[in-house]
Amino acid sequence: MATDPDLLFEEWLAEARLSEPNDPEAMALATADSEGRPSVRMVLLKGHDENGFVFYTNSRSRKGGELGASARAALLFHWKSLRRQVRIEGPAEPVPEAQADLYFASRSRPSQLGAWASEQSSPLESRALFEARYQQLAEQFGEGEIPRPKHWWGYRVEAERIEFWSDRAHRLHERRLFVRQADGWSESLLYP
Ligand SMILES: Cc1cc2nc3c(=O)[nH]c(=O)nc-3n(C[C@H](O)[C@H](O)[C@H](O)COP(=O)(O)O)c2cc1C
């Protein structure tokens, strides 16, 4: 039976969880603006299944704006301890609101307050201003439940291509490429 790249990804992630010194779920997220200018930053993988790879962020951030502009993304995991990388490309879509609510509710209170306090990617006059905003919000919410800010949500990148790269001696690395087809995945090798 053909290899399922989603299962293979889970195997590699499980191995990375055992060997990486921190953040095995960290992945680079590449987006582009409406003129095709690329930008890249790290985010954390918060969910994965056959429907895609999920991360959470502020939709008013630079990446949020770029995902609005092109709705396509590329993800990259690099697990240094295993000498492996996984490249993922495909369209990105917001997750359903109920899913974003559920994940937001599972975050720590300080992270929830941080999501309210941060105008992610906008210029910040001073660190003190950010801390004052945070304090003010902490007092405003008191002991009450902190709802999800409407501009804070998750995106799911639905993989059209997944490539698994593993280090081999003398730079004769292995590259296994999976491409989504109407009836499943095709698998091929690429020269390193
Ligand atoms: C290991 C790591 C994990 C991160 N995870 C997230 C994340 O899950 N969501 C997020 O919005 N920013 C995360 N960040 C911060 C982003 O890299 C970035 O600074 C921020 O999202 C603003 O990016 P933008 O201006 O391109 O939108 C993380 C940074 C690092 C180094």
Side-chain angles (χ1 to χ4, degrees):
M1 209 170 83
T3 303
D4 177 338
D6 288 306
L7 292 180
L8 184 57
F9 177 83
E10 285 301 323
E11 276 172 34
W12 279 28
L13 180 60
E15 287 171 34
R17 284 184 175 128
L18 297 176
S19 65
E20 283 294 291
N22 59 48
D23 290 339
E25 286 88 5
M27 55 187 184
L29 161 71
T31 54
D33 69 13
S34 54
E35 285 162 51
R37 283 181 293 231
S39 69
V40 64
R41 80 290 288 153
M42 303 301 293
V43 293
L44 291 176
L45 178 72
K46 290 293 174 185
H48 165 248
D49 59 22
E50 68 280 4
N51 297 314
F53 296 77
V54 174
F55 63 90
Y56 289 88
T57 194
N58 183 326
S59 63
R60 296 186 192 146
S61 65
R62 180 174 175 192
K63 73 181 92 50
E66 293 187 353
L67 286 171
S70 86
R72 296 194 70 85
L75 302 171
L76 175 74
F77 292 85
H78 178 210
W79 294 302
K80 288 171 82 85
S81 62
L82 299 172
R83 297 177 188 276
R84 285 175 174 170
Q85 73 173 341
V86 179
R87 299 169 60 171
I88 295 150
E89 290 158 41
E93 279 198 355
V95 301
E97 283 204 43
Q99 186 178 339
D101 286 342
L102 212 62
Y103 175 65
F104 189 78
S106 78
R107 285 169 44 114
S108 70
R109 245 182 128 69
S111 305
Q112 292 178 334
L113 288 169
W116 277 97
S118 174
E119 293 185 21
Q120 195 177 57
S121 313
S122 298
L124 170 63
E125 225 169 85
S126 69
R127 183 82 200 168
L129 180 69
F130 181 41
E131 285 167 11
R133 278 173 66 98
Y134 181 96
Q135 267 316 318
Q136 193 197 337
L137 284 156
E139 282 158 31
Q140 197 177 312
F141 283 113
E143 300 291 300
E145 192 187 322
I146 304 177
R148 175 177 62 86
K150 287 292 172 218
H151 56 268
W152 190 98
W153 67 57
Y155 293 87
R156 168 180 290 108
V157 178
E158 190 198 317
E160 289 176 344
R161 289 169 65 100
I162 310 185
E163 183 201 314
F164 295 80
W165 183 102
S166 40
D167 182 78
R168 293 289 169 88
H170 314 299
R171 300 189 193 261
L172 304 178
H173 311 303
E174 184 185 73
R175 298 179 64 186
R176 291 172 73 181
L177 173 66
F178 295 84
V179 179
R180 193 185 287 277
Q181 310 292 342
D183 57 349
W185 291 94
S186 68
E187 178 178 356
S188 58
L189 295 175
L190 297 175
Y191 279 100

